[in-house]
Amino acid sequence: MESIGVLMACPMNSYLEQQLENRFKLFRFWTVPDKSSFLASHKDSIQAVVGNAFAGADAKLIEALPKLEIVASFSVGLDKIDLAKCKEKGIRVTNTPDVLTEDVADLAIGLMLAVLRKLCESDRFVRSGKWKRGQYVLTTKIKGFLFPFVHFVSVPFLTSTIFQLFQFTGKRVGIIGLGRIGMAIATRAEAFSCPISYYSRTEKPEIKYKYYPSVVELAANCDILVVACALTTETHHIINREVINALGPKGVLINIGRGPHVDEPELVSALVEHRLGGAGLDVFEHEPEVPEELFGLDNVVLLPHVGSGTVETRQAMADLVIGNLEAHFLKKPLLTPVV
Amino acid sequence: MAVAAENQSQPPQNDLPYVLILKPPSAFSIFGDHFFHSPKFQFLKPFESPLPLPQFLLTHAQSVQAILTSASGSVTADTIRLLPRLGLVVTTSQGINHIDLSECRRRGIAVAGAGTIFSTDCADFAVGLLLDILRKVSAANRYVKQGLWSSQGNYPLGNKLGGKQVGIVGLGSIGTEVAKRLEAFRCSISYNSRSKKPSVPYTFYPNVVELAVNCDALIICCALTDETHHLIGKKVLSALGKDGVIINIARGPIIDEKELVQCLIKREILGAGLDVFEHEPDVPVELLALDNVVMAPHNAVCTTESLEELRKTVVGNFEAFFSNEPLLTPVPLDDQPHLSG
């Protein structure tokens, strides 16, 4: 298969890159200075595109590659791929479901705990040396008396900064999108006795969690709102001003979906103005750009799109991409086809 | 918090019994001095007096029937001997290692603590620390907030929690809550405890070294006693290994801190999540620059919700005592392991 041309859309994983290089003729799109002329000169060689959450195959790219047979995404999300165009042209599409479900769900819970319990701020406080240099309450030393030396005691950091820490156990968790990842978040949160409710395109009668027919109603009835649905034209800015207001000054938003799920300027102003209680965000509208107004907020945790970012899972995802490509070119059934 | 001039004690009301506050609890700092107020008793506050503590105690010896203290306020035999009318010690902590229980038993002094009200908060925090260390939450948050994602690119990969072997040291109230939570993340649970618990589905190991050999993450949930002091030392940390993680939400002295620091510096273990330290609030300065440790200033239980539960429990215990009713959260003194107060 060394003659099959594979276009990798952007750097995503060195193990995957190496595997692709070993098996196919690999073109690294990000190293090409003039993309249009590259496509013009290589259009007959490229039969596969490997994309991810940042770059995939839009209509323009698909049109430029007449020999394109398959788009294999190093992600479960498909928002960077023009699925309609692929269907139209008979181009296969694969993604990486299931292998990353646990890691993404784990991170969603990790973000909830980090936001409510101010883990990052606690760590920052200790590193700053302020716990050590805290103000002293009681100091006594009695010489020649069998009385214990009462230690210098610093007041806990809660007084140095006005921190409010919130319990996670028992908080109401509202999930937007009850697919694989949404369900995995639900089962984890249940172990913390969190009542679960959800919004989905349609109610799922076999699910025991409470269904709300709109995101606003879900937001009004939960303490922590998690975005876990796919990004489509319908779910673009599904978190808007109305939803944020419904979630309110004690509510927390967790986004492990896609940046464009959230109206980011609205979110930023709500957080800065304390109209929203807190946020844990793994994704942003214009990654890797992150609104700087969020940097100084102690009730906000920001992560650089690491939902599936573990050694184990990225390897499993890479193996799935390779497996799908090999299956296609060996004319065997695809492992995880979408189209 | 400096002794505030405006925080005067209420004028003594002669009919109300006295509770001596040996160590002002952190709740006072957050919510104010009246957090544990009750119309049924009044507080004596030696820290607002110019007298040194022993003199203060001698002055008020006949009035003090009860003590309120917190985790860092030791109630030693010496203190107890200065208070002939002492009948109850209430601590705002779940841990009781700071109270001389054998002296209390000898004198017939009752002890009450936080019971199990902090168990879920402690368990939640342990899971939070474990996720933070494995998935680099605090480190990556720092990276983003310094603007480095756009300038320096993607952050290094973390480690998967799912499928990990987790070893719980001390399967009491807190350990059980930790186990229940981590099972939902598809972790396998094993434990070491003073004795095997026949009704639990988890694998028991008779000592901590064997537990460490067989797990990827150790979570310390046990009480601090003479037996558990420096329970986690060089041998256990070596057994845990370079891919292993340790989480401590119990008491600092359970871990040999000097050994732990060396292991972290030399990357002989993967990382540590620590809410407690041997000599709080002093934290080994070497830790402050490491990225494989996540630290908190002993605030795992300081949630708004738990502090309210604590308020009810502390006030309820004193009110019960002064009404000759059963305590809400008595500590049974008979089956305690030997504790150095």
Side-chain angles (χ1 to χ4, degrees):
Chain A
M1 282 186 258
E2 293 90 6
S3 60
I4 296 173
V6 174
L7 180 69
M8 200 175 188
C10 62
M12 51 188 83
N13 182 274
S14 43
Y15 166 76
L16 175 60
E17 217 172 296
Q18 192 56 55
Q19 293 296 315
L20 288 170
E21 178 125 86
N22 292 349
R23 293 156 208 269
F24 304 103
K25 186 161 170 49
L26 179 65
F27 297 100
R28 295 173 175 80
F29 205 29
W30 66 95
T31 63
V32 165
D34 184 342
K35 290 186 164 59
S36 316
S37 65
F38 168 85
L39 290 174
S41 53
H42 289 82
K43 61 181 168 55
D44 291 329
S45 335
I46 293 170
Q47 293 167 263
V49 166
V50 172
N52 71 351
F54 296 101
D58 58 10
K60 190 164 161 234
L61 183 67
I62 293 167
E63 288 293 355
L65 299 172
K67 297 284 166 61
L68 184 61
E69 296 176 21
I70 179 167
V71 177
S73 195
F74 185 69
S75 70
V76 67
L78 299 159
D79 44 286
K80 290 289 198 256
I81 299 171
D82 190 326
L83 294 173
K85 182 68 64 175
C86 287
K87 269 195 193 112
E88 180 198 311
K89 290 186 172 278
I91 296 168
R92 307 304 305 276
V93 177
T94 68
N95 62 351
T96 60
D98 298 317
V99 294
L100 48 65
T101 300
E102 288 187 341
D103 270 355
V104 178
D106 290 355
L107 195 74
I109 304 292
L111 278 169
M112 292 179 202
L113 286 163
V115 173
L116 265 74
R117 303 298 284 278
K118 296 208 164 68
L119 267 170
C120 308
E121 289 305 311
S122 295
D123 181 75
R124 193 164 83 109
F125 178 83
V126 175
R127 280 173 203 274
S128 71
K130 286 187 190 139
W131 193 24
K132 188 176 181 177
R133 294 198 306 264
Q135 291 165 305
Y136 298 107
V137 175
L138 178 64
T139 155
T140 312
K141 185 171 184 180
I142 308 302
K143 294 189 178 79
F145 195 97
L146 285 171
F147 195 88
F149 174 65
V150 179
H151 295 280
F152 280 91
V153 169
S154 80
V155 161
F157 85 127
L158 292 147
T159 56
S160 304
T161 46
I162 305 165
F163 275 50
Q164 276 200 305
L165 309 179
F166 297 103
Q167 191 165 76
F168 176 52
T169 287
K171 286 288 185 297
R172 300 167 300 167
V173 173
I175 305 176
I176 300 173
L178 213 59
R180 285 170 291 243
I181 294 173
M183 280 299 297
I185 294 171
T187 50
R188 281 152 180 71
E190 278 192 297
F192 296 80
S193 308
C194 295
I196 309 293
S197 50
Y198 72 102
Y199 164 80
S200 207
R201 277 170 299 184
T202 53
E203 185 172 1
K204 296 169 197 265
E206 72 280 11
I207 298 292
K208 56 185 182 288
Y209 308 134
K210 179 151 175 63
Y211 173 75
Y212 285 97
S214 76
V215 181
V216 172
E217 272 182 82
L218 180 67
N221 288 284
C222 69
D223 304 306
I224 303 169
L225 183 65
V226 192
V227 183
C229 58
L231 178 64
T232 65
T233 45
E234 287 88 31
T235 62
H236 182 265
H237 283 194
I238 196 170
I239 306 296
N240 55 21
R241 176 176 272 249
E242 214 195 335
V243 171
I244 292 169
N245 285 343
L247 192 49
K250 293 197 172 142
V252 172
L253 177 72
I254 303 292
N255 191 3
I256 47 85
R258 286 288 180 265
H261 276 128
V262 174
D263 182 338
E264 205 160 88
E266 280 294 338
L267 176 66
V268 171
S269 63
L271 287 165
V272 165
E273 292 162 21
H274 309 293
R275 288 184 285 111
L276 181 64
L281 310 170
D282 187 42
V283 286
F284 304 87
E285 286 210 79
H286 309 290
E287 293 171 22
E289 301 303 324
V290 175
E292 285 186 19
E293 301 95 311
L294 300 179
F295 288 4
L297 300 180
D298 66 32
N299 56 342
V300 173
V301 175
L302 306 172
L303 295 179
H305 202 151
V306 292
S308 63
T310 65
V311 172
E312 298 92 329
T313 292
R314 290 288 167 85
Q315 168 137 353
M317 288 164 65
D319 288 340
L320 207 43
V321 167
I322 299 293
N324 274 304
L325 289 174
E326 287 193 330
H328 172 76
F329 290 111
L330 291 173
K331 301 201 186 329
K332 290 184 178 161
L334 297 180
L335 305 180
T336 49
V338 175
V339 169
Chain B
M1 177 179 70
V3 175
E6 62 269 20
N7 282 350
Q8 299 291 334
S9 311
Q10 292 175 10
Q13 296 152 53
N14 292 325
D15 47 342
L16 285 185
Y18 282 103
V19 174
L20 176 85
I21 302 180
L22 197 62
K23 168 86 199 323
S26 49
F28 275 16
S29 317
I30 313 162
F31 297 110
D33 275 20
H34 299 288
F35 189 63
F36 295 117
H37 172 75
S38 159
K40 301 199 176 142
F41 56 86
Q42 56 185 320
F43 285 118
L44 270 178
K45 299 175 185 173
F47 45 90
E48 289 179 354
S49 161
L51 289 178
L53 183 62
Q55 256 80 306
F56 185 95
L57 292 181
L58 285 167
T59 308
H60 296 273
Q62 293 306 316
S63 317
V64 174
Q65 296 182 59
I67 280 176
L68 173 65
T69 190
S70 62
S72 46
S74 292
V75 182
T76 62
D78 287 336
T79 302
I80 293 169
R81 282 175 203 144
L82 289 173
L83 300 168
R85 293 195 61 211
L86 184 63
L88 172 66
V89 174
V90 175
T91 178
T92 55
S93 57
Q94 197 153 323
I96 45 167
N97 49 286
H98 56 300
I99 301 170
D100 192 325
L101 296 181
S102 42
E103 185 66 17
C104 288
R105 188 169 34 228
R106 195 183 69 76
R107 282 271 305 271
I109 295 167
V111 177
T116 57
I117 65 181
F118 294 147
S119 295
T120 58
D121 272 355
C122 284
D124 291 356
F125 208 70
V127 175
L129 285 171
L130 183 59
L131 279 165
D132 193 319
I133 268 295
L134 287 176
R135 301 298 299 272
K136 304 182 195 291
V137 175
S138 286
N141 173 66
R142 269 198 298 279
Y143 185 75
V144 174
K145 288 187 175 181
Q146 286 164 25
L148 298 175
W149 190 17
S150 44
S151 57
Q152 289 190 17
N154 283 333
Y155 200 69
L157 298 177
N159 299 86
K160 190 176 166 72
L161 173 61
K164 287 274 193 296
Q165 315 269 3
V166 173
I168 298 181
V169 179
L171 200 67
S173 170
I174 297 172
T176 302
E177 295 288 342
V178 173
K180 178 178 132 193
R181 281 151 177 72
L182 288 177
E183 281 190 297
F185 292 80
R186 213 178 44 86
C187 292
S188 324
I189 310 291
S190 49
Y191 71 103
N192 168 256
S193 220
R194 273 172 297 173
S195 56
K196 186 172 177 183
K197 294 171 198 269
S199 54
V200 309
Y202 315 130
T203 306
F204 173 77
Y205 287 98
N207 63 70
V208 187
V209 174
E210 261 189 83
L211 182 69
V213 166
N214 289 287
C215 69
D216 306 303
L218 269 184
I219 314 214
I220 314 302
C221 302
C222 58
L224 175 62
T225 67
D226 287 345
E227 282 88 33
T228 64
H229 182 267
H230 280 197
L231 179 68
I232 312 296
K234 197 180 175 70
K235 248 181 123 184
V236 173
L237 293 169
S238 297
L240 187 58
K242 69 170 182 49
D243 293 324
V245 171
I246 187 158
I247 304 295
N248 192 2
I249 46 91
R251 285 289 178 266
I254 295 171
I255 299 182
D256 181 338
E257 202 162 85
K258 285 198 175 69
E259 280 299 335
L260 176 64
V261 169
Q262 288 308 307
C263 281
L264 287 166
I265 290 171
K266 295 178 193 162
R267 306 216 168 240
E268 287 165 5
I269 61 171
L270 185 67
L274 309 169
D275 185 47
V276 287
F277 302 84
E278 280 212 71
H279 308 290
E280 293 169 24
D282 293 338
V283 172
V285 65
E286 302 94 319
L287 294 183
L288 305 186
L290 293 178
D291 65 356
N292 55 348
V293 64
V294 178
M295 297 170 286
H298 201 159
N299 68 338
V301 308
C302 297
T303 64
T304 306
E305 295 88 337
S306 281
L307 291 176
E308 175 54 24
E309 277 306 302
L310 178 67
R311 190 191 65 74
K312 289 189 218 162
T313 302
V314 166
V315 172
N317 272 309
F318 285 125
E319 288 184 352
F321 174 72
F322 291 123
S323 315
N324 289 314
E325 280 163 20
L327 298 175
L328 303 184
T329 51
V331 173
L333 298 181
D334 301 325
D335 68 344
Q336 292 298 330
H338 180 63
L339 286 161
S340 46

